[in-house]
Amino acid sequence: CSLRAVTVSFYVLLSCVLSFSQMFPTMFKPEKSATVCFVFQAGLTTYYHPGINVKKVHYDSIKLYETLEAETGQAVGLHTPGSVRIAATAARVDEMRYQMTRTHWHVTEQYMIGPEKVLELFPLLDINKVLAGLYTPGDGHIDPYSLTMALAAGARMYGAQIYNPAPVTSLSPTADGKWDVQTPHGTIRANRIVNATGFWAREVGKMIGFDHPTIPVHHQYVVTATVPEVKALKKELAVIRDLEASYYLRQERDGLLFGPYEKMEKMKLQDSWVREGVPPGFGKELFESDLDRIMEHVEMAMEMVPVLKKADIINVVSGPITYTPDLLPMVGPHQGVRNYWAAVGFGYGVIHAGGIGKFLSDWIRNGEPPYDLIECDPNRYGRWADVPFMCAKARESYGFNNVVGYPKEERFAGRPTYRLSGVYELLNDKASMGFHAGWEQPHWFYKPGDDVGYKPSFRRTNWFGPVGRECKLVMEKVGVIDLTPFAKFIVKGKDSQKLLDRLFANNMPKVGLTNISHMLTPAGRVFAEVTITQLTPGEFLLITGSGSEGHDLRWIEDEAANGGYDVDISNITDDVGVLGIAGPNSRNVLQKLTDEDLSDGGFKFLHCKSIKLAGIPVRAIRISYTGELGWELYIDQKNMAAVYQAMMEAGQDQGIDNFGTYAMNSLRLEKGFRGWGAEMNCDTNPLEAGLDYFIKLNKPSDFIGKAALQEIKAKGLRRKLSYITLDTDDIDPEGNETVWYNGKVVGNTTSGAYSYSSQQSLAFAYLPLDLCSVGQKVEVELLGRKYPAMVIQEPLVLTEPTRTRLQKKAKSKA
């Protein structure tokens, strides 16, 4: 086991090296290792993150840093006085309650505290401005330079060689999937390369044709001289984050260190580096400071921490921090080439470094990620994330660093991209749009009298009524939905079925048929859920979620290459639009536009046919993610608007109208449909997720994860996905909330919504086996309050095919 590092301008890869060496000290003998350059950071460390699994990254980082000095003999300057996120508004208090509901089932400690406790932890505050605080023990700060040196020392201890300077001059893939890395020290033959080059990430990526969407922003922090009130303290101040004023503040020796995040219109991008490249030799340099940009924040900090008014500034530091459009890093193997991995775009590099190092090294060793981190997948961006989009989003993300984070959050900078469906112009003014992998997709539609626009809230807000109207439309009449963001691949060739049988746990559908299939990891966890149709012998259409496009395609391509399969794989996502039509009147609408027999006998459930609608070629699949009678229509983008308009005209007497993804989510939950990324992901196996029907352990093919799943089944499960209803008031579950029983944390929800059919809240939740029985009562925490919940038999509403089958059965008996 060896990790052959290429070049590192940040310490992320060094922690990856150290993670390897801790696990395999005698086997770790890399030919070449890493370059260490100057690190610009204020060094904050925190267990807190709103992302469920990004918290694990933070946890692993801090736990590594706690042991580094003892292991390497190098001091790292780790301070752990705790931190407090300050709430000064009612909305911020709600946000903290929202985050608390998602922390009880995690290993890290986090507490919501009152003003008195806040003052105890930071006695220099004007406490009259504080309503509450979110307290995280164990938080603090570390010296970035010392940390880097300790990581380097640890790498050397276990055999790594570090060359400095060692710029990469070119990257050349070999026929067997390895890489030749050119440096002034010679050529390194690497089994894989990890681009962990900080603000050089785009330059390295361009060597192989990638435009990684990363851009440096100017971040400033201020260090004061000794403050007498600080010097007089008997213990170190907790780190505070004043979220309304958008700054962090911590103790620095006997003074204070203050770092603001300027507003969008004032913050500065180093966009010249994107256009012209990083200046040769840039390393330890800093940018020229600009106090005028941060004076608004300085004044607000002086009001919150009055001792700052008399403090002398001794240093203003301004340096580059690399941002991605959504502020999350890009971590993992990259689609499009073999054995090229990314670890770039770290806006908070210190706290991510150790955990990401462990995450990547575990993944490389085991062939799968140790836990689900798809929100950081490097393949979540495509060509649509161009330079104007990247700059707009980086500016927005920096300026919005500390805004209230709402559920169903939308941010609008840089939108729309060129990824527009064929019906976008027809729907844009009628709907509240959501952003999905570069696409604009309707979340819900307006009617006269509605409170329109994006109105975020932690409770039911302006979309609640209209979504109910859309659910009623689909259940009683007929609705049309734009599903174009679905990712679409064609897999064909001599070995296509052989490859797919290896990748998927279900049997492959026959020609003209469709099924739901799952790709599993070697450990038997759910890597992806895909709808598969065999169009012609050996030609398969694969449909997956918008957020899984590059994630799933990379996995498929890697297996095809590693296994030597003779197949052709093409991504047709941008070329093909998708319209869904669902509801009891959907057949009547379509039948007006085609001569094809759409009856139950002529066009069966989970069948696919090429038909013409209003004379336009369409590939139709009888399937509906609402669970109602419906079809998905796959159409050339240029013809999409014409098909949509023909359906809307034909459906006028059937009560046809539009519906969006919020309604589809409510309807799929009522039918008990699992969602990938919620009920199933790389943290779950398909048996505990209740996907047994789709898993064919007796199929002859040795599909990935089969042996692991057989072992899991033999040992038995410890938890299962349960279906629960909740007695709530003006709030509904979203997913990831804590589930309680007898005062103890017993599980977590995965997704939730309001059921308009039964007029109650509904959710999926993972519970221990002894709490999964129908009728079992538990509690679900929402915004700081525990609501009664009960396990029920699923589904709450039968799907249309099931209802039809039962009706036919009842008639035959009669």
Side-chain angles (χ1 to χ4, degrees):
C1 177
S2 66
L3 176 65
R4 298 169 182 178
V6 183
T7 181
V8 180
S9 64
F10 221 46
Y11 39 74
V12 175
L13 192 52
L14 277 177
S15 70
C16 184
V17 168
L18 188 57
S19 298
F20 260 96
S21 59
Q22 286 173 322
M23 288 177 257
F24 299 103
T26 60
M27 298 174 64
F28 184 70
K29 297 178 181 178
E31 294 176 7
K32 303 290 182 186
S33 192
T35 297
V36 183
C37 291
F38 177 78
V39 178
F40 160 75
Q41 286 276 338
L44 298 181
T45 57
T46 178
Y47 287 110
Y48 175 85
H49 195 279
I52 297 303
N53 277 353
V54 180
K55 289 176 189 273
K56 295 181 180 180
V57 174
H58 290 207
Y59 179 86
D60 286 341
S61 290
I62 293 176
K63 292 308 175 186
L64 172 64
Y65 302 161
E66 289 175 349
T67 64
L68 269 183
E69 184 171 345
E71 184 171 2
T72 67
Q74 299 283 322
V76 296
L78 179 63
H79 296 248
T80 56
S83 74
V84 181
R85 301 171 71 83
I86 292 174
T89 66
R92 190 69 69 178
V93 172
D94 270 353
E95 180 189 31
M96 291 181 177
R97 289 174 177 149
Y98 182 81
Q99 292 302 331
M100 283 302 300
T101 67
R102 286 156 171 73
T103 199
H104 296 297
W105 55 284
H106 278 265
V107 67
T108 56
E109 290 183 89
Q110 183 175 292
Y111 305 98
M112 198 161 173
I113 59 176
E116 298 80 7
K117 180 64 176 179
V118 173
L119 188 61
E120 179 185 325
L121 293 164
F122 201 101
L124 305 181
L125 288 173
D126 179 355
I127 205 62
N128 293 319
K129 300 179 180 297
V130 177
L131 297 178
L134 198 64
Y135 172 48
T136 315
D139 282 9
H141 54 96
I142 196 169
D143 174 35
Y145 179 81
S146 297
L147 171 62
T148 306
M149 294 301 103
L151 290 169
R156 291 190 187 98
M157 282 171 53
Y158 298 112
Q161 299 174 28
I162 298 175
Y163 291 80
N164 182 20
V168 175
T169 55
S170 72
L171 299 171
S172 302
T174 65
D176 59 356
K178 297 181 181 181
W179 290 88
D180 282 339
V181 183
Q182 303 289 338
T183 80
H185 301 276
T187 300
I188 304 169
R189 172 62 60 87
N191 294 328
R192 63 183 59 80
I193 54 178
V194 182
N195 182 351
T197 57
F199 46 72
W200 287 282
R202 282 180 62 82
E203 324 239 332
V204 172
K206 283 184 176 181
M207 292 180 184
I208 56 174
F210 288 151
D211 282 317
H212 294 312
T214 63
I215 185 170
V217 303
H218 288 228
H219 180 65
Q220 301 184 97
Y221 63 81
V222 175
V223 182
T224 75
T226 295
V227 176
E229 292 86 347
V230 174
K231 186 174 183 179
L233 294 170
K234 295 181 180 180
K235 65 177 183 178
E236 185 175 359
L237 291 166
V239 179
I240 63 166
R241 291 172 174 82
D242 184 349
L243 305 175
E244 307 314 321
S246 194
Y247 66 83
Y248 56 83
L249 189 147
R250 69 168 176 83
Q251 187 172 336
E252 174 70 7
R253 296 183 174 87
D254 291 332
L256 296 169
L257 184 151
F258 161 80
Y261 294 94
E262 304 104 289
K263 294 180 179 178
M264 290 175 58
E265 61 272 16
K266 289 188 176 181
M267 60 85 65
K268 186 173 181 180
L269 296 175
Q270 194 61 30
D271 49 358
S272 64
W273 289 8
V274 174
R275 297 190 304 270
E276 302 159 16
V278 181
F282 187 95
K284 296 183 179 181
E285 295 85 354
L286 293 171
F287 298 136
E288 184 176 348
S289 60
D290 183 356
L291 279 175
D292 288 342
R293 291 210 322 263
I294 64 173
M295 279 311 298
E296 177 183 359
H297 304 275
V298 171
E299 291 168 359
M300 288 188 286
M302 287 177 176
E303 293 300 315
M304 182 65 78
V305 186
V307 297
L308 280 172
K309 295 177 181 178
K310 298 181 290 182
D312 294 325
I313 295 175
I314 61 171
N315 199 10
V316 181
V317 180
S318 179
I321 294 181
T322 307
Y323 267 38
T324 62
D326 62 7
L327 195 51
L328 288 169
M330 300 171 64
V331 179
H334 208 290
Q335 185 269 328
V337 292
R338 296 174 67 187
N339 297 318
Y340 173 81
W341 295 56
V344 302
F346 292 90
Y348 307 109
V350 168
I351 191 53
H352 285 154
I356 290 297
K358 184 178 188 306
F359 180 83
L360 281 178
S361 58
D362 286 351
W363 191 343
I364 290 169
R365 285 191 310 113
N366 300 324
E368 64 180 280
Y371 50 86
D372 190 84
L373 207 61
I374 193 173
E375 63 264 50
C376 297
D377 189 275
N379 307 297
R380 67 188 185 274
Y381 296 113
R383 290 182 295 107
W384 52 269
D386 56 18
V387 171
F389 173 82
M390 176 181 63
C391 291
K393 297 306 283 190
R395 185 173 293 279
E396 177 187 56
S397 293
Y398 188 85
F400 283 14
N401 236 298
N402 290 316
V403 299
V404 174
Y406 289 99
K408 294 181 169 64
E409 185 174 62
E410 289 294 327
R411 295 186 178 182
F412 297 95
R415 295 168 53 181
T417 73
Y418 75 77
R419 269 193 153 177
L420 297 176
S421 80
V423 295
Y424 170 77
E425 295 297 338
L426 297 174
L427 303 182
N428 182 39
D429 293 337
K430 302 176 182 179
S432 178
M433 289 287 182
F435 190 68
H436 301 271
W439 299 95
E440 299 290 327
Q441 185 176 29
H443 279 167
W444 61 279
F445 285 84
Y446 311 139
K447 293 293 182 186
D450 288 343
D451 183 9
V452 303
Y454 171 62
K455 304 289 176 63
S457 175
F458 292 100
R459 296 170 175 82
R460 295 170 186 165
T461 184
N462 61 328
W463 53 261
F464 183 77
V467 171
R469 179 176 63 218
E470 293 172 16
C471 288
K472 182 179 175 67
L473 167 77
V474 174
M475 293 292 290
E476 298 180 0
K477 296 179 182 178
V478 55
V480 176
I481 184 170
D482 182 7
L483 298 173
T484 300
F486 280 168
K488 316 158 197 87
F489 316 133
I490 294 289
V491 178
K492 61 183 179 179
K494 182 170 69 73
D495 294 335
S496 59
Q497 178 138 351
K498 185 178 177 183
L499 169 64
L500 297 182
D501 268 328
R502 170 65 177 161
L503 282 166
F504 290 94
N506 203 347
N507 294 315
M508 288 302 98
K510 297 178 180 179
V511 174
L513 299 184
T514 298
N515 72 16
I516 307 297
S517 298
H518 298 85
M519 290 192 289
L520 308 182
T521 71
R525 294 178 292 181
V526 185
F527 189 84
E529 180 178 78
V530 180
T531 301
I532 301 179
T533 303
Q534 188 167 184
L535 303 175
T536 62
E539 181 184 10
F540 296 86
L541 172 66
L542 277 59
I543 308 297
T544 188
S546 58
S548 305
E549 181 181 350
H551 173 269
D552 294 1
L553 184 59
R554 196 274 310 169
W555 187 267
I556 295 167
E557 289 176 340
D558 278 4
E559 182 61 27
N562 294 336
Y565 294 93
D566 183 1
V567 294
D568 177 73
I569 302 168
S570 55
N571 185 355
I572 60 170
T573 301
D574 284 353
D575 302 323
V576 178
V578 187
L579 291 172
I581 182 169
N585 296 347
S586 58
R587 179 184 282 119
N588 297 339
V589 173
L590 293 182
Q591 197 66 79
K592 292 182 179 181
L593 303 173
T594 184
D595 294 331
E596 187 74 32
D597 180 5
L598 301 182
S599 67
D600 286 337
F603 201 148
K604 296 180 180 179
F605 182 57
L606 293 179
H607 279 57
C608 173
K609 292 185 178 183
S610 292
I611 65 174
K612 286 189 176 181
L613 289 179
I616 297 171
V618 171
R619 179 172 285 126
I621 301 175
R622 188 175 163 191
I623 190 174
S624 172
Y625 290 104
T626 67
E628 294 304 302
L629 174 67
W631 284 262
E632 285 178 11
L633 310 173
Y634 293 81
I635 317 157
D636 283 346
Q637 284 275 23
K638 65 179 182 294
N639 294 327
M640 193 176 174
V643 172
Y644 170 84
Q645 289 173 317
M647 287 196 302
M648 297 306 284
E649 183 176 344
Q652 287 303 304
D653 62 343
Q654 303 292 320
I656 198 169
D657 211 336
N658 299 294
F659 72 103
T661 58
Y662 285 3
M664 184 170 71
N665 184 57
S666 174
L667 291 166
R668 71 95 181 169
L669 274 165
E670 290 181 343
K671 309 304 193 304
F673 291 177
R674 278 83 170 139
W676 192 89
E679 284 69 55
M680 49 179 146
N681 55 27
C682 285
D683 294 329
T684 61
N685 70 65
L687 303 182
E688 65 186 3
L691 299 171
D692 310 54
Y693 176 81
F694 305 101
I695 309 300
K696 310 302 183 186
L697 287 173
N698 59 351
K699 70 184 269 190
S701 303
D702 184 23
F703 62 82
I704 297 171
K706 182 176 183 178
L709 214 53
Q710 288 170 331
E711 184 177 348
I712 290 170
K713 185 174 183 179
K715 288 183 177 178
L717 302 176
R718 294 190 298 176
R719 66 171 191 167
K720 284 277 287 184
L721 189 68
S722 297
Y723 200 57
I724 62 175
T725 55
L726 296 80
D727 295 329
T728 62
D729 36 46
D730 65 341
I731 184 173
D732 301 296
E734 296 278 341
N736 295 319
E737 295 96 353
T738 301
V739 181
W740 298 81
Y741 177 69
N742 282 348
K744 294 182 179 180
V745 175
V746 293
N748 63 278
T749 62
T750 54
S751 61
Y754 185 75
S755 165
Y756 293 90
S757 297
S758 64
Q759 298 191 3
Q760 60 187 327
S761 286
L762 180 67
F764 277 117
Y766 275 105
L767 297 175
L769 287 184
D770 61 341
L771 296 179
C772 291
S773 300
V774 171
Q776 175 67 56
K777 294 183 178 180
V778 292
E779 294 177 304
V780 176
E781 183 179 349
L782 305 173
L783 284 188
R785 177 181 166 188
K786 296 175 184 175
Y787 288 87
M790 185 173 68
V791 178
I792 65 168
Q793 182 69 45
E794 62 175 295
L796 190 64
V797 179
L798 294 175
T799 63
E800 179 273 331
T802 302
R803 296 198 304 267
T804 300
R805 186 171 63 250
L806 292 175
Q807 288 167 0
K808 289 181 178 179
K809 187 176 180 180
K811 287 181 180 179
S812 65
K813 286 184 177 180

